Structures are given as structure tokens and as C-alpha cells.
Amino acid sequence: MNKKLFTLLSLLAVMSLALAACGTPAATEAAPQATEAATEAATEAATEAATEAATGGDSVEVFSWWTGGGEAAGLDAMIVVFNGANPDIEFVNSAVAGGAGTNARAVLATRLQAGDPPDSWQGHAGQELIGTYVAGGQIQPLNDLYEAEGWLEVMPETLIPLISQDGNIYSVPVNIHRANVLWYNPAVLEANGVAVPTTMDEWFAAMDTLQAAGVQPLALGEQWTKMHLLETVLLGSLGSDAYNGLWDGSTDWNSPEVKAALDNFAKVLTYANADSASLSWQDAAQLVINGDAAFNVMGDWAEGYFRELGKTPMTDYGWAPTPGSVGVFQFLSDSFVLAVGAPHPDAAAAWLKTAGSKEGQEAFNPVKGSICARTDCDKSLFGEYLQSAMDDWSSNIVVGSLTHGVVANDSWKTEIDTALGLFVADSNVENFQAALVAACASSGPCK
Ligand code: GAL
């Protein structure tokens, strides 16, 4: 018997038991609630069963955190491609709101723990995937799909090791995002005689000028955006080699160089808006677009958002590598996985085929504000900013993002996040550095 139909029949049985129990005095109080809950569940199951019947019976549940601000529009564009190729499969979009997956990943963890996985979910290439989902035995190898679809010929060679373990490939990358982007308002800079900064010192000088003129120099949002800012300041202050060394143990977290980088971070924070904790990444990016702040450091999903708002590149917003990181591309990649115990494995494979396809990626990325993970997408489909990102991706030194899963697994990242939270509250650089040293020792390569 079809699983949904079985659930429906079981719920109907529970309902009739609850109704029968209404007759007995002891059950009179509990029964109405039980009946209500059972009715709701039965209605839900009936609707699902009816939809499945109408669509030929199959569905796929895809979990992400793309719910707005250019992100949902990108996903929708890919869903259109999926629906075109799979008219008989219902796409169940289980996106949970919250930038960088802060809320979604907590919901996902609860579901995985309860043995209730979505068929496929969004995960970042790198340590988030390998050190968390693969280590937890939660996702399936996709080697057969890679072979059948010829993906090894079209996905970047450098990306495959970040989604593989012991010869198994575990996800389908849909894009490449750049983390180290400094977005700015061209009119605000011009009105204040400020040039686009390329070094940390130039940036401080520019922000001093803006501050003296009564302009908010830097727009900042909630905690994860502070970690995002931190990783770009570490990169800009240390340079790419020493930045990479933080993640493989060859750069000493206790060194004077790291202390100097953290001092820079502390100083950058002094130029930010006081209400950062209550702003989403979109709110902070919007301050720049509206001319209420000069700079914002954010990944290039911000470009998808600016475009969704109808803004014009180089007029309403400009971009540059974050100060100190010219010639370096700090990357992350969104990818989709196949759950161990996926309720609809065939439909999930169909979804992954769309996610890895040229058509799917060409529909998704120009809207999302990212470039294709595939190397064969048509460049002319992309706007000015993304074309420049493509050039940089193929010519720059490439390093990984901390906030978006590349360089540290979840436990290490959580410890860094806790240390950052304390630092934001007390501004004590010595304590912050000590906590980062301890984090590397307990969860990183300094063990
Ligand atoms: C990142 C994700 C991006 C974008 C961003 C903001 O973690 O990789 O695709 O969604 O969060 O929500």
C-alpha cells in the first residue's frame, strides 16, 4: 500500500477511536483536542495523498534557506526547469527563512535527529558537508549520477575534492559565490571625495573621512554577518597564505599577526551602525543602496537582491574585493545532497539532475547572484558584476569561506561563533584571541 494512503487510513482509524472515546466520561476533556489534532493531520494527509494522486504519485521535498531577497527568485527559476522536465513530480519547497541558514540548519538538525530527513537539502561544499553530514552518515554518495550525467567533465576539478571522501562524491554544486565583496554607494563616495579603498589602511582613512562628514561608514547586520566580516578582515590583514594556514594549523592563532588582524576587526566594527544586531543581511545591504551608509561587506547574493530591487550596477551600487584581498577570491559553493533514507529517492535523483544541469544552473545563477559551478554556462546570460566574478574565479587565488562552510566543520565554527558573540559584547581582543586559540585546539587542526 502507498505510504501516504496508509498514513491516511491510520489517521482515520485514530479519529474514529477518538470519536468513540467521546462517549466515556473520563475521555470527555481529552477527546475534543485529540479529535481536532487527528482531523488536522488527516486533512493534511488527505491533501497530500490527493496531490500525489493528481501528479502521478511522486513528490520531492527540497530543503534550503532561500526564501526572499533574490534567493527565492533564483530557486524558483530552477524549479521551473525541474517542473518542465518532471511534470509528474510535485516539488515540495521546504525552505526555512534566515540568512546563511542560521534557522534552517537548526530545523534540519532536529529533523535529521528524528529520522525525518527531507529528500534533498542545501549544504556547503567543504567541511560543512564532509565534517558534518558525511561524518554523520546522513547523505549518500552520488558517483553513479556523476557518471551518468558526465558531471566530472563539467564541474571544476578543484571543487570535487571538497565534496568527496574516500572516492565517493556527496553533493551536486549549483553555484560559486564570492564572500569577499565590498559593496559601496558610488554617489556617497563621490560626494565625500572618497576613492574605493584597496587596503585596510585606505579603508580606515576613507571611513574616517565619511564619519567626519556625518555619513554612516559601514552597514552591518546580525551575528552571522559579523562572522562574514571577520573572515574577510582576517584575509585582508593576513594575506591568502596565512589565512589558509588558520584552517590547516600552519598559522598560529596565538601569533602577533593574528592579534593585529583582530585589532583591525575591532577597529572596523567601530564604524558600523549601532543597531546591527536587529538587521538582516538584506536590511544592511539596503542601507548602502538607499545612500544611508557607504560600505557593506557581503557575499554576492547581495547582487541578486539589488537586481531584484531594480537597481543598476555601477550607478546604484559598486563593488570591489574587500580591502587587502585584491586578486583573491574567497569562495563558497551551495550544493544539494541526497539524504540517507530519502522518502523519494527517484524523485530526489531527478531534482539533483536539474540542479547539476546546464539549463538548471543557467536559470538559477544569473538571478541568484552567483556564477555557475559548471564550467560551460553561457557568459552572456550574466550581468556586469557576475561576468567580472567569472573572470576573477578563473584568474584569482582561491581561498575558502568560514561562515559558509568551506574551511571549518560545524563544531569548530560554533566555537568561533561563541567567541565572536562574547567579543561583540565586550570588545576585548585578548580574550577573543585566547578563545580562538582554544577553539582551534578543541575542534580544529591544533588538537
Ligand atoms: C549562504 C548561502 C548563500 C546565501 C547566503 C545568505 O550561506 O551559501 O547562497 O543564501 O547564505 O542567505
Side-chain angles (χ1 to χ4, degrees), residues 65-66 71 99-100 122 124 175 177 224 281 301 332 334 368 404:
W65 55 87
W66 294 333
E71 320 216 284
Q122 173 189 359
H124 288 123
N175 67 4
H177 265 306
W224 75 263
W281 68 263
W301 43 91
L332 57 120
D334 292 306
K368 176 66 165 68
H404 309 283

mmCIF file of all heavy atoms in Angstrom, residues 65-66 71 99-100 122 124 175 177 224 281 301 332 334 368 404, ligand 1:
data_model
loop_
_atom_site.group_PDB
_atom_site.id
_atom_site.type_symbol
_atom_site.label_atom_id
_atom_site.label_comp_id
_atom_site.label_asym_id
_atom_site.label_seq_id
_atom_site.Cartn_x
_atom_site.Cartn_y
_atom_site.Cartn_z
ATOM 1 N N TRP A 65 17.454 27.550 2.524
ATOM 2 C CA TRP A 65 17.091 28.778 3.261
ATOM 3 C C TRP A 65 16.905 29.944 2.282
ATOM 4 O O TRP A 65 17.119 31.102 2.615
ATOM 5 C CB TRP A 65 18.110 29.117 4.341
ATOM 6 C CG TRP A 65 19.542 29.247 3.946
ATOM 7 C CD1 TRP A 65 20.168 30.362 3.475
ATOM 8 C CD2 TRP A 65 20.545 28.237 4.054
ATOM 9 N NE1 TRP A 65 21.504 30.104 3.279
ATOM 10 C CE2 TRP A 65 21.769 28.807 3.635
ATOM 11 C CE3 TRP A 65 20.541 26.911 4.466
ATOM 12 C CZ2 TRP A 65 22.971 28.088 3.600
ATOM 13 C CZ3 TRP A 65 21.736 26.197 4.438
ATOM 14 C CH2 TRP A 65 22.922 26.787 4.020
ATOM 15 N N TRP A 66 16.439 29.586 1.088
ATOM 16 C CA TRP A 66 16.235 30.625 0.082
ATOM 17 C C TRP A 66 14.775 31.023 0.042
ATOM 18 O O TRP A 66 13.968 30.431 -0.686
ATOM 19 C CB TRP A 66 16.709 30.107 -1.275
ATOM 20 C CG TRP A 66 18.198 29.879 -1.296
ATOM 21 C CD1 TRP A 66 19.143 30.514 -0.542
ATOM 22 C CD2 TRP A 66 18.911 28.939 -2.111
ATOM 23 N NE1 TRP A 66 20.402 30.039 -0.847
ATOM 24 C CE2 TRP A 66 20.287 29.076 -1.809
ATOM 25 C CE3 TRP A 66 18.513 28.025 -3.079
ATOM 26 C CZ2 TRP A 66 21.270 28.313 -2.437
ATOM 27 C CZ3 TRP A 66 19.493 27.270 -3.703
ATOM 28 C CH2 TRP A 66 20.861 27.419 -3.389
ATOM 29 N N GLU A 71 17.072 35.353 -3.433
ATOM 30 C CA GLU A 71 17.410 33.932 -3.290
ATOM 31 C C GLU A 71 16.243 33.048 -3.712
ATOM 32 O O GLU A 71 16.424 32.059 -4.422
ATOM 33 C CB GLU A 71 17.787 33.617 -1.849
ATOM 34 C CG GLU A 71 18.631 34.702 -1.217
ATOM 35 C CD GLU A 71 19.666 34.162 -0.275
ATOM 36 O OE1 GLU A 71 19.339 33.775 0.855
ATOM 37 O OE2 GLU A 71 20.823 34.136 -0.713
ATOM 38 N N GLY A 99 19.039 34.269 6.848
ATOM 39 C CA GLY A 99 20.273 34.323 6.073
ATOM 40 C C GLY A 99 21.313 33.320 6.561
ATOM 41 O O GLY A 99 21.389 33.015 7.752
ATOM 42 N N ALA A 100 22.087 32.797 5.612
ATOM 43 C CA ALA A 100 23.185 31.857 5.885
ATOM 44 C C ALA A 100 22.702 30.570 6.562
ATOM 45 O O ALA A 100 23.495 29.824 7.113
ATOM 46 C CB ALA A 100 24.283 32.511 6.718
ATOM 47 N N GLN A 122 20.161 21.777 1.060
ATOM 48 C CA GLN A 122 21.261 22.666 0.682
ATOM 49 C C GLN A 122 22.393 22.495 1.688
ATOM 50 O O GLN A 122 22.176 22.592 2.896
ATOM 51 C CB GLN A 122 20.726 24.098 0.724
ATOM 52 C CG GLN A 122 21.731 25.203 0.516
ATOM 53 C CD GLN A 122 21.118 26.574 0.796
ATOM 54 O OE1 GLN A 122 19.930 26.680 1.128
ATOM 55 N NE2 GLN A 122 21.913 27.622 0.673
ATOM 56 N N HIS A 124 26.852 23.343 2.147
ATOM 57 C CA HIS A 124 28.013 23.990 1.534
ATOM 58 C C HIS A 124 29.123 22.986 1.245
ATOM 59 O O HIS A 124 29.441 22.155 2.110
ATOM 60 C CB HIS A 124 28.571 25.068 2.473
ATOM 61 C CG HIS A 124 27.711 26.275 2.564
ATOM 62 N ND1 HIS A 124 27.210 26.746 3.758
ATOM 63 C CD2 HIS A 124 27.256 27.124 1.614
ATOM 64 C CE1 HIS A 124 26.498 27.845 3.531
ATOM 65 N NE2 HIS A 124 26.510 28.087 2.236
ATOM 66 N N ASN A 175 26.385 26.326 -7.607
ATOM 67 C CA ASN A 175 26.937 27.663 -7.874
ATOM 68 C C ASN A 175 28.294 27.857 -7.204
ATOM 69 O O ASN A 175 28.760 27.010 -6.440
ATOM 70 C CB ASN A 175 25.969 28.748 -7.375
ATOM 71 C CG ASN A 175 25.826 28.772 -5.851
ATOM 72 O OD1 ASN A 175 26.503 28.039 -5.133
ATOM 73 N ND2 ASN A 175 24.953 29.617 -5.362
ATOM 74 N N HIS A 177 29.791 31.224 -5.104
ATOM 75 C CA HIS A 177 29.560 32.581 -4.597
ATOM 76 C C HIS A 177 30.897 33.160 -4.145
ATOM 77 O O HIS A 177 31.793 32.427 -3.703
ATOM 78 C CB HIS A 177 28.663 32.540 -3.347
ATOM 79 C CG HIS A 177 27.211 32.757 -3.617
ATOM 80 N ND1 HIS A 177 26.720 33.847 -4.307
ATOM 81 C CD2 HIS A 177 26.111 32.046 -3.238
ATOM 82 C CE1 HIS A 177 25.389 33.779 -4.350
ATOM 83 N NE2 HIS A 177 24.999 32.692 -3.716
ATOM 84 N N TRP A 224 25.722 36.486 12.175
ATOM 85 C CA TRP A 224 26.475 35.752 11.159
ATOM 86 C C TRP A 224 27.143 36.685 10.160
ATOM 87 O O TRP A 224 28.194 36.366 9.606
ATOM 88 C CB TRP A 224 25.606 34.697 10.449
ATOM 89 C CG TRP A 224 24.613 35.218 9.448
ATOM 90 C CD1 TRP A 224 23.295 35.468 9.663
ATOM 91 C CD2 TRP A 224 24.862 35.566 8.075
ATOM 92 N NE1 TRP A 224 22.708 35.950 8.509
ATOM 93 C CE2 TRP A 224 23.644 36.018 7.522
ATOM 94 C CE3 TRP A 224 25.989 35.551 7.245
ATOM 95 C CZ2 TRP A 224 23.519 36.439 6.190
ATOM 96 C CZ3 TRP A 224 25.863 35.969 5.919
ATOM 97 C CH2 TRP A 224 24.654 36.404 5.406
ATOM 98 N N TRP A 281 20.786 40.573 6.610
ATOM 99 C CA TRP A 281 21.780 40.998 5.613
ATOM 100 C C TRP A 281 21.138 41.897 4.572
ATOM 101 O O TRP A 281 21.756 42.836 4.081
ATOM 102 C CB TRP A 281 22.496 39.806 4.984
ATOM 103 C CG TRP A 281 21.674 38.901 4.086
ATOM 104 C CD1 TRP A 281 21.069 37.733 4.434
ATOM 105 C CD2 TRP A 281 21.401 39.078 2.681
ATOM 106 N NE1 TRP A 281 20.423 37.187 3.341
ATOM 107 C CE2 TRP A 281 20.616 37.987 2.256
ATOM 108 C CE3 TRP A 281 21.747 40.064 1.741
ATOM 109 C CZ2 TRP A 281 20.167 37.842 0.933
ATOM 110 C CZ3 TRP A 281 21.300 39.915 0.422
ATOM 111 C CH2 TRP A 281 20.518 38.820 0.032
ATOM 112 N N TRP A 301 25.402 37.235 -3.185
ATOM 113 C CA TRP A 301 23.943 37.117 -3.214
ATOM 114 C C TRP A 301 23.325 38.510 -3.050
ATOM 115 O O TRP A 301 22.186 38.726 -3.430
ATOM 116 C CB TRP A 301 23.419 36.163 -2.138
ATOM 117 C CG TRP A 301 24.067 36.313 -0.785
ATOM 118 C CD1 TRP A 301 23.654 37.116 0.229
ATOM 119 C CD2 TRP A 301 25.234 35.634 -0.314
ATOM 120 N NE1 TRP A 301 24.504 36.985 1.300
ATOM 121 C CE2 TRP A 301 25.480 36.082 0.990
ATOM 122 C CE3 TRP A 301 26.105 34.694 -0.879
ATOM 123 C CZ2 TRP A 301 26.558 35.630 1.768
ATOM 124 C CZ3 TRP A 301 27.175 34.242 -0.118
ATOM 125 C CH2 TRP A 301 27.395 34.706 1.187
ATOM 126 N N LEU A 332 32.580 30.182 -1.792
ATOM 127 C CA LEU A 332 31.754 29.138 -1.179
ATOM 128 C C LEU A 332 30.892 28.579 -2.298
ATOM 129 O O LEU A 332 30.732 29.203 -3.347
ATOM 130 C CB LEU A 332 30.875 29.704 -0.071
ATOM 131 C CG LEU A 332 29.951 30.835 -0.489
ATOM 132 C CD1 LEU A 332 28.506 30.446 -0.234
ATOM 133 C CD2 LEU A 332 30.313 32.094 0.277
ATOM 134 N N ASP A 334 27.134 26.493 -2.920
ATOM 135 C CA ASP A 334 25.908 25.824 -2.468
ATOM 136 C C ASP A 334 25.765 24.528 -3.244
ATOM 137 O O ASP A 334 25.927 24.513 -4.472
ATOM 138 C CB ASP A 334 24.696 26.713 -2.752
ATOM 139 C CG ASP A 334 24.684 27.970 -1.900
ATOM 140 O OD1 ASP A 334 24.779 27.841 -0.666
ATOM 141 O OD2 ASP A 334 24.606 29.070 -2.467
ATOM 142 N N LYS A 368 20.166 34.461 -8.885
ATOM 143 C CA LYS A 368 20.641 34.283 -7.502
ATOM 144 C C LYS A 368 21.784 35.234 -7.162
ATOM 145 O O LYS A 368 22.006 35.576 -6.001
ATOM 146 C CB LYS A 368 21.093 32.818 -7.325
ATOM 147 C CG LYS A 368 21.706 32.486 -5.978
ATOM 148 C CD LYS A 368 20.682 32.592 -4.859
ATOM 149 C CE LYS A 368 21.141 31.925 -3.574
ATOM 150 N NZ LYS A 368 22.255 32.570 -2.919
ATOM 151 N N HIS A 404 30.475 30.225 5.550
ATOM 152 C CA HIS A 404 29.649 29.451 4.627
ATOM 153 C C HIS A 404 30.273 28.091 4.321
ATOM 154 O O HIS A 404 30.294 27.634 3.172
ATOM 155 C CB HIS A 404 29.367 30.287 3.379
ATOM 156 C CG HIS A 404 28.840 31.645 3.753
ATOM 157 N ND1 HIS A 404 27.537 31.859 4.167
ATOM 158 C CD2 HIS A 404 29.470 32.846 3.875
ATOM 159 C CE1 HIS A 404 27.383 33.142 4.485
ATOM 160 N NE2 HIS A 404 28.542 33.757 4.324
HETATM 161 C C1 GAL B 1 24.901 31.476 2.304
HETATM 162 C C2 GAL B 1 24.472 30.739 1.063
HETATM 163 C C3 GAL B 1 24.082 31.716 0.016
HETATM 164 C C4 GAL B 1 23.095 32.711 0.572
HETATM 165 C C5 GAL B 1 23.563 33.312 1.874
HETATM 166 C C6 GAL B 1 22.616 34.281 2.520
HETATM 167 O O1 GAL B 1 25.253 30.592 3.312
HETATM 168 O O2 GAL B 1 25.523 29.962 0.609
HETATM 169 O O3 GAL B 1 23.546 31.053 -1.090
HETATM 170 O O4 GAL B 1 21.889 32.046 0.734
HETATM 171 O O5 GAL B 1 23.865 32.291 2.769
HETATM 172 O O6 GAL B 1 21.438 33.686 2.924
#
